[in-house]
Amino acid sequence: MSVRLSAPSAIMRHAVLLITASLILLPFVWMISLSLKPPGEIFREHFSFLPEQWYALQNYSKALTSAPLPRYMGNGVLVCAAILTLQILTCAPCAYALAKLRFPGRDVLFSLVLIGLLLPHQVLSLPLFILCYELGILNTYAALIFPYVVSPFGIFLFRQAFKTIPDDVVHAARLDGLSEWTIVWKVMLPMALPAMIAFSIFSVVGHWNDLFWPLIAVRSESLMPPPLGIIAFANQEAGNDYGPLMAASTIVVLPLVLAFLAAQKWFVEGMTGGAVK
């Protein structure tokens, strides 16, 4: 049964949402605006979104040619795809075991997963750096991928989604002769597709924008993901010319925005469908 808000409450709610959305979107609007302007208009006293002299072609051309931005974005795609694939391969079976199997210590393991959610990744950076050094994988793609193979958030989200699937479905699959491993991939995961899409968006956005760990793990320019590459671009090429730098930032952010808009429906369903009851 839906609760209907009174007119003042509805107006207040929408006003708060509009103000919050404006504050969040303002930096992005400013970034796009600066990417369209020549240097002389960027630091004017009065702000205007549209430039008097369009400089978009020059800024975006310089962003794509002055530094290997396509290579940085290619690295980001490779690293994010590898991380997401390995995370699904590890998180889905773990979540299935915690949601549908009964064994001693299950609740303890789930408690450890929740503790893992509370730990910021930066806390583990030093032991991970030492481990990568001992394994000899620093300054490689493996160093960017290895620390994120297991995701506590992914295990938690998949577990909550699997908990909403009736146990009768699992029992029927077992009666049909399916193994537990097959049930995970052919029964549970397709039924939890919205949760998988929601997790995919979180994973890709988080690792596409990650700067802290790549700054530690790699030094070679050919391995840099987009955020680290933009820093190198700013230091080496842009200087005080912020137009190309904002154009490069816009190009890096655009794929994430398009991916979210394309999967928005499944993202919301995945985040609400496995809510804690």
PDB file of all heavy atoms in Angstrom, residues 157 193-199 201-202 260-275:
ATOM      1  N   LEU A 157      26.142  -8.670  -1.821  1.00  0.00           N
ATOM      2  CA  LEU A 157      25.041  -8.341  -2.724  1.00  0.00           C
ATOM      3  C   LEU A 157      24.469  -9.594  -3.373  1.00  0.00           C
ATOM      4  O   LEU A 157      23.243  -9.769  -3.444  1.00  0.00           O
ATOM      5  CB  LEU A 157      25.523  -7.364  -3.796  1.00  0.00           C
ATOM      6  CG  LEU A 157      24.445  -6.787  -4.718  1.00  0.00           C
ATOM      7  CD1 LEU A 157      23.435  -5.981  -3.926  1.00  0.00           C
ATOM      8  CD2 LEU A 157      25.079  -5.919  -5.801  1.00  0.00           C
ATOM      9  N   LEU A 193      20.008 -11.668 -12.214  1.00  0.00           N
ATOM     10  CA  LEU A 193      20.633 -10.800 -13.212  1.00  0.00           C
ATOM     11  C   LEU A 193      20.635  -9.318 -12.812  1.00  0.00           C
ATOM     12  O   LEU A 193      21.654  -8.637 -12.996  1.00  0.00           O
ATOM     13  CB  LEU A 193      19.930 -10.984 -14.558  1.00  0.00           C
ATOM     14  CG  LEU A 193      20.511 -10.194 -15.736  1.00  0.00           C
ATOM     15  CD1 LEU A 193      21.954 -10.596 -15.991  1.00  0.00           C
ATOM     16  CD2 LEU A 193      19.665 -10.393 -16.986  1.00  0.00           C
ATOM     17  N   PRO A 194      19.539  -8.752 -12.263  1.00  0.00           N
ATOM     18  CA  PRO A 194      19.611  -7.335 -11.844  1.00  0.00           C
ATOM     19  C   PRO A 194      20.701  -7.070 -10.812  1.00  0.00           C
ATOM     20  O   PRO A 194      21.379  -6.039 -10.879  1.00  0.00           O
ATOM     21  CB  PRO A 194      18.216  -7.077 -11.267  1.00  0.00           C
ATOM     22  CG  PRO A 194      17.335  -8.062 -11.950  1.00  0.00           C
ATOM     23  CD  PRO A 194      18.177  -9.290 -12.120  1.00  0.00           C
ATOM     24  N   ALA A 195      20.887  -7.993  -9.856  1.00  0.00           N
ATOM     25  CA  ALA A 195      21.943  -7.813  -8.857  1.00  0.00           C
ATOM     26  C   ALA A 195      23.314  -7.856  -9.518  1.00  0.00           C
ATOM     27  O   ALA A 195      24.218  -7.103  -9.138  1.00  0.00           O
ATOM     28  CB  ALA A 195      21.833  -8.885  -7.776  1.00  0.00           C
ATOM     29  N   MET A 196      23.485  -8.742 -10.510  1.00  0.00           N
ATOM     30  CA  MET A 196      24.767  -8.826 -11.200  1.00  0.00           C
ATOM     31  C   MET A 196      25.052  -7.546 -11.982  1.00  0.00           C
ATOM     32  O   MET A 196      26.186  -7.057 -12.005  1.00  0.00           O
ATOM     33  CB  MET A 196      24.787 -10.036 -12.134  1.00  0.00           C
ATOM     34  CG  MET A 196      26.135 -10.253 -12.808  1.00  0.00           C
ATOM     35  SD  MET A 196      26.233 -11.797 -13.742  1.00  0.00           S
ATOM     36  CE  MET A 196      25.068 -11.432 -15.059  1.00  0.00           C
ATOM     37  N   ILE A 197      24.016  -6.978 -12.615  1.00  0.00           N
ATOM     38  CA  ILE A 197      24.211  -5.729 -13.353  1.00  0.00           C
ATOM     39  C   ILE A 197      24.538  -4.588 -12.400  1.00  0.00           C
ATOM     40  O   ILE A 197      25.424  -3.763 -12.665  1.00  0.00           O
ATOM     41  CB  ILE A 197      22.963  -5.412 -14.192  1.00  0.00           C
ATOM     42  CG1 ILE A 197      22.794  -6.458 -15.300  1.00  0.00           C
ATOM     43  CG2 ILE A 197      23.054  -4.016 -14.789  1.00  0.00           C
ATOM     44  CD1 ILE A 197      21.545  -6.294 -16.121  1.00  0.00           C
ATOM     45  N   ALA A 198      23.833  -4.536 -11.260  1.00  0.00           N
ATOM     46  CA  ALA A 198      24.112  -3.494 -10.274  1.00  0.00           C
ATOM     47  C   ALA A 198      25.542  -3.613  -9.764  1.00  0.00           C
ATOM     48  O   ALA A 198      26.273  -2.608  -9.666  1.00  0.00           O
ATOM     49  CB  ALA A 198      23.125  -3.593  -9.109  1.00  0.00           C
ATOM     50  N   PHE A 199      25.966  -4.827  -9.448  1.00  0.00           N
ATOM     51  CA  PHE A 199      27.338  -5.022  -8.981  1.00  0.00           C
ATOM     52  C   PHE A 199      28.344  -4.668 -10.073  1.00  0.00           C
ATOM     53  O   PHE A 199      29.406  -4.104  -9.791  1.00  0.00           O
ATOM     54  CB  PHE A 199      27.546  -6.464  -8.528  1.00  0.00           C
ATOM     55  CG  PHE A 199      28.973  -6.780  -8.181  1.00  0.00           C
ATOM     56  CD1 PHE A 199      29.566  -6.236  -7.057  1.00  0.00           C
ATOM     57  CD2 PHE A 199      29.730  -7.613  -9.002  1.00  0.00           C
ATOM     58  CE1 PHE A 199      30.889  -6.507  -6.743  1.00  0.00           C
ATOM     59  CE2 PHE A 199      31.041  -7.892  -8.696  1.00  0.00           C
ATOM     60  CZ  PHE A 199      31.628  -7.339  -7.562  1.00  0.00           C
ATOM     61  N   ILE A 201      28.079  -2.409 -12.367  1.00  0.00           N
ATOM     62  CA  ILE A 201      28.221  -0.951 -12.440  1.00  0.00           C
ATOM     63  C   ILE A 201      29.092  -0.444 -11.299  1.00  0.00           C
ATOM     64  O   ILE A 201      29.999   0.373 -11.501  1.00  0.00           O
ATOM     65  CB  ILE A 201      26.832  -0.289 -12.421  1.00  0.00           C
ATOM     66  CG1 ILE A 201      26.076  -0.623 -13.707  1.00  0.00           C
ATOM     67  CG2 ILE A 201      26.959   1.225 -12.257  1.00  0.00           C
ATOM     68  CD1 ILE A 201      24.658  -0.107 -13.739  1.00  0.00           C
ATOM     69  N   PHE A 202      28.830  -0.932 -10.077  1.00  0.00           N
ATOM     70  CA  PHE A 202      29.655  -0.526  -8.941  1.00  0.00           C
ATOM     71  C   PHE A 202      31.113  -0.875  -9.168  1.00  0.00           C
ATOM     72  O   PHE A 202      32.020  -0.073  -8.904  1.00  0.00           O
ATOM     73  CB  PHE A 202      29.154  -1.192  -7.659  1.00  0.00           C
ATOM     74  CG  PHE A 202      28.102  -0.411  -6.935  1.00  0.00           C
ATOM     75  CD1 PHE A 202      26.786  -0.836  -6.917  1.00  0.00           C
ATOM     76  CD2 PHE A 202      28.430   0.765  -6.266  1.00  0.00           C
ATOM     77  CE1 PHE A 202      25.816  -0.112  -6.251  1.00  0.00           C
ATOM     78  CE2 PHE A 202      27.471   1.497  -5.600  1.00  0.00           C
ATOM     79  CZ  PHE A 202      26.154   1.057  -5.586  1.00  0.00           C
ATOM     80  N   PHE A 260      25.739   3.658 -17.206  1.00  0.00           N
ATOM     81  CA  PHE A 260      24.740   3.763 -16.139  1.00  0.00           C
ATOM     82  C   PHE A 260      23.362   4.055 -16.705  1.00  0.00           C
ATOM     83  O   PHE A 260      22.366   3.461 -16.275  1.00  0.00           O
ATOM     84  CB  PHE A 260      25.139   4.841 -15.145  1.00  0.00           C
ATOM     85  CG  PHE A 260      24.104   5.077 -14.081  1.00  0.00           C
ATOM     86  CD1 PHE A 260      23.978   4.204 -13.017  1.00  0.00           C
ATOM     87  CD2 PHE A 260      23.246   6.158 -14.160  1.00  0.00           C
ATOM     88  CE1 PHE A 260      23.011   4.402 -12.040  1.00  0.00           C
ATOM     89  CE2 PHE A 260      22.277   6.374 -13.192  1.00  0.00           C
ATOM     90  CZ  PHE A 260      22.167   5.489 -12.129  1.00  0.00           C
ATOM     91  N   LEU A 261      23.271   4.972 -17.668  1.00  0.00           N
ATOM     92  CA  LEU A 261      21.974   5.299 -18.247  1.00  0.00           C
ATOM     93  C   LEU A 261      21.363   4.090 -18.952  1.00  0.00           C
ATOM     94  O   LEU A 261      20.148   3.873 -18.909  1.00  0.00           O
ATOM     95  CB  LEU A 261      22.113   6.466 -19.223  1.00  0.00           C
ATOM     96  CG  LEU A 261      22.483   7.819 -18.605  1.00  0.00           C
ATOM     97  CD1 LEU A 261      22.662   8.868 -19.691  1.00  0.00           C
ATOM     98  CD2 LEU A 261      21.423   8.271 -17.604  1.00  0.00           C
ATOM     99  N   ALA A 262      22.215   3.278 -19.593  1.00  0.00           N
ATOM    100  CA  ALA A 262      21.710   2.102 -20.306  1.00  0.00           C
ATOM    101  C   ALA A 262      21.201   1.031 -19.346  1.00  0.00           C
ATOM    102  O   ALA A 262      20.271   0.288 -19.668  1.00  0.00           O
ATOM    103  CB  ALA A 262      22.798   1.532 -21.207  1.00  0.00           C
ATOM    104  N   ALA A 263      21.809   0.945 -18.159  1.00  0.00           N
ATOM    105  CA  ALA A 263      21.471  -0.129 -17.214  1.00  0.00           C
ATOM    106  C   ALA A 263      20.780   0.398 -15.964  1.00  0.00           C
ATOM    107  O   ALA A 263      20.731  -0.297 -14.956  1.00  0.00           O
ATOM    108  CB  ALA A 263      22.731  -0.898 -16.831  1.00  0.00           C
ATOM    109  N   GLN A 264      20.217   1.604 -16.031  1.00  0.00           N
ATOM    110  CA  GLN A 264      19.647   2.228 -14.835  1.00  0.00           C
ATOM    111  C   GLN A 264      18.506   1.405 -14.240  1.00  0.00           C
ATOM    112  O   GLN A 264      18.417   1.221 -13.022  1.00  0.00           O
ATOM    113  CB  GLN A 264      19.155   3.632 -15.180  1.00  0.00           C
ATOM    114  CG  GLN A 264      18.603   4.402 -13.988  1.00  0.00           C
ATOM    115  CD  GLN A 264      18.170   5.808 -14.372  1.00  0.00           C
ATOM    116  OE1 GLN A 264      18.135   6.144 -15.555  1.00  0.00           O
ATOM    117  NE2 GLN A 264      17.823   6.615 -13.394  1.00  0.00           N
ATOM    118  N   LYS A 265      17.639   0.873 -15.090  1.00  0.00           N
ATOM    119  CA  LYS A 265      16.490   0.109 -14.612  1.00  0.00           C
ATOM    120  C   LYS A 265      16.951  -1.118 -13.822  1.00  0.00           C
ATOM    121  O   LYS A 265      16.468  -1.385 -12.716  1.00  0.00           O
ATOM    122  CB  LYS A 265      15.628  -0.313 -15.795  1.00  0.00           C
ATOM    123  CG  LYS A 265      14.469  -1.216 -15.427  1.00  0.00           C
ATOM    124  CD  LYS A 265      13.694  -1.653 -16.664  1.00  0.00           C
ATOM    125  CE  LYS A 265      12.596  -2.636 -16.306  1.00  0.00           C
ATOM    126  NZ  LYS A 265      11.861  -3.101 -17.510  1.00  0.00           N
ATOM    127  N   TRP A 266      17.896  -1.864 -14.382  1.00  0.00           N
ATOM    128  CA  TRP A 266      18.379  -3.075 -13.717  1.00  0.00           C
ATOM    129  C   TRP A 266      19.214  -2.735 -12.487  1.00  0.00           C
ATOM    130  O   TRP A 266      19.234  -3.479 -11.521  1.00  0.00           O
ATOM    131  CB  TRP A 266      19.195  -3.903 -14.695  1.00  0.00           C
ATOM    132  CG  TRP A 266      18.379  -4.444 -15.816  1.00  0.00           C
ATOM    133  CD1 TRP A 266      17.607  -5.570 -15.821  1.00  0.00           C
ATOM    134  CD2 TRP A 266      18.219  -3.848 -17.109  1.00  0.00           C
ATOM    135  NE1 TRP A 266      16.987  -5.724 -17.036  1.00  0.00           N
ATOM    136  CE2 TRP A 266      17.343  -4.680 -17.855  1.00  0.00           C
ATOM    137  CE3 TRP A 266      18.731  -2.708 -17.726  1.00  0.00           C
ATOM    138  CZ2 TRP A 266      16.980  -4.405 -19.164  1.00  0.00           C
ATOM    139  CZ3 TRP A 266      18.366  -2.435 -19.022  1.00  0.00           C
ATOM    140  CH2 TRP A 266      17.503  -3.269 -19.733  1.00  0.00           C
ATOM    141  N   PHE A 267      19.884  -1.580 -12.522  1.00  0.00           N
ATOM    142  CA  PHE A 267      20.674  -1.155 -11.377  1.00  0.00           C
ATOM    143  C   PHE A 267      19.782  -0.929 -10.162  1.00  0.00           C
ATOM    144  O   PHE A 267      20.052  -1.419  -9.064  1.00  0.00           O
ATOM    145  CB  PHE A 267      21.440   0.123 -11.717  1.00  0.00           C
ATOM    146  CG  PHE A 267      22.201   0.703 -10.563  1.00  0.00           C
ATOM    147  CD1 PHE A 267      23.409   0.180 -10.181  1.00  0.00           C
ATOM    148  CD2 PHE A 267      21.685   1.788  -9.862  1.00  0.00           C
ATOM    149  CE1 PHE A 267      24.114   0.715  -9.109  1.00  0.00           C
ATOM    150  CE2 PHE A 267      22.370   2.331  -8.794  1.00  0.00           C
ATOM    151  CZ  PHE A 267      23.597   1.795  -8.426  1.00  0.00           C
ATOM    152  N   VAL A 268      18.687  -0.188 -10.351  1.00  0.00           N
ATOM    153  CA  VAL A 268      17.768   0.086  -9.246  1.00  0.00           C
ATOM    154  C   VAL A 268      17.113  -1.198  -8.767  1.00  0.00           C
ATOM    155  O   VAL A 268      16.994  -1.453  -7.555  1.00  0.00           O
ATOM    156  CB  VAL A 268      16.696   1.110  -9.685  1.00  0.00           C
ATOM    157  CG1 VAL A 268      15.663   1.298  -8.579  1.00  0.00           C
ATOM    158  CG2 VAL A 268      17.351   2.441 -10.043  1.00  0.00           C
ATOM    159  N   GLU A 269      16.714  -2.046  -9.704  1.00  0.00           N
ATOM    160  CA  GLU A 269      16.079  -3.318  -9.316  1.00  0.00           C
ATOM    161  C   GLU A 269      17.048  -4.211  -8.566  1.00  0.00           C
ATOM    162  O   GLU A 269      16.672  -4.873  -7.589  1.00  0.00           O
ATOM    163  CB  GLU A 269      15.573  -4.027 -10.571  1.00  0.00           C
ATOM    164  CG  GLU A 269      14.801  -5.304 -10.276  1.00  0.00           C
ATOM    165  CD  GLU A 269      14.280  -5.969 -11.517  1.00  0.00           C
ATOM    166  OE1 GLU A 269      14.270  -5.312 -12.579  1.00  0.00           O
ATOM    167  OE2 GLU A 269      13.873  -7.160 -11.445  1.00  0.00           O
ATOM    168  N   GLY A 270      18.311  -4.218  -9.002  1.00  0.00           N
ATOM    169  CA  GLY A 270      19.293  -5.058  -8.322  1.00  0.00           C
ATOM    170  C   GLY A 270      19.616  -4.580  -6.925  1.00  0.00           C
ATOM    171  O   GLY A 270      19.864  -5.388  -6.024  1.00  0.00           O
ATOM    172  N   MET A 271      19.596  -3.271  -6.709  1.00  0.00           N
ATOM    173  CA  MET A 271      19.906  -2.735  -5.392  1.00  0.00           C
ATOM    174  C   MET A 271      18.752  -2.881  -4.416  1.00  0.00           C
ATOM    175  O   MET A 271      18.941  -2.974  -3.213  1.00  0.00           O
ATOM    176  CB  MET A 271      20.298  -1.263  -5.502  1.00  0.00           C
ATOM    177  CG  MET A 271      21.616  -1.032  -6.226  1.00  0.00           C
ATOM    178  SD  MET A 271      22.998  -1.952  -5.512  1.00  0.00           S
ATOM    179  CE  MET A 271      23.045  -1.268  -3.868  1.00  0.00           C
ATOM    180  N   THR A 272      17.535  -2.899  -4.928  1.00  0.00           N
ATOM    181  CA  THR A 272      16.367  -3.007  -4.037  1.00  0.00           C
ATOM    182  C   THR A 272      15.851  -4.428  -3.909  1.00  0.00           C
ATOM    183  O   THR A 272      15.261  -4.782  -2.892  1.00  0.00           O
ATOM    184  CB  THR A 272      15.218  -2.100  -4.543  1.00  0.00           C
ATOM    185  OG1 THR A 272      14.889  -2.481  -5.890  1.00  0.00           O
ATOM    186  CG2 THR A 272      15.640  -0.653  -4.525  1.00  0.00           C
ATOM    187  N   GLY A 273      16.078  -5.256  -4.930  1.00  0.00           N
ATOM    188  CA  GLY A 273      15.544  -6.609  -4.908  1.00  0.00           C
ATOM    189  C   GLY A 273      16.176  -7.486  -3.839  1.00  0.00           C
ATOM    190  O   GLY A 273      15.548  -8.375  -3.277  1.00  0.00           O
ATOM    191  N   GLY A 274      17.449  -7.236  -3.530  1.00  0.00           N
ATOM    192  CA  GLY A 274      18.129  -8.031  -2.507  1.00  0.00           C
ATOM    193  C   GLY A 274      18.293  -7.310  -1.207  1.00  0.00           C
ATOM    194  O   GLY A 274      19.242  -7.553  -0.468  1.00  0.00           O
ATOM    195  N   ALA A 275      17.370  -6.417  -0.900  1.00  0.00           N
ATOM    196  CA  ALA A 275      17.481  -5.640   0.336  1.00  0.00           C
ATOM    197  C   ALA A 275      17.380  -6.546   1.553  1.00  0.00           C
ATOM    198  O   ALA A 275      16.731  -7.584   1.530  1.00  0.00           O
ATOM    199  CB  ALA A 275      16.371  -4.585   0.376  1.00  0.00           C
TER     200      ALA A 275
END
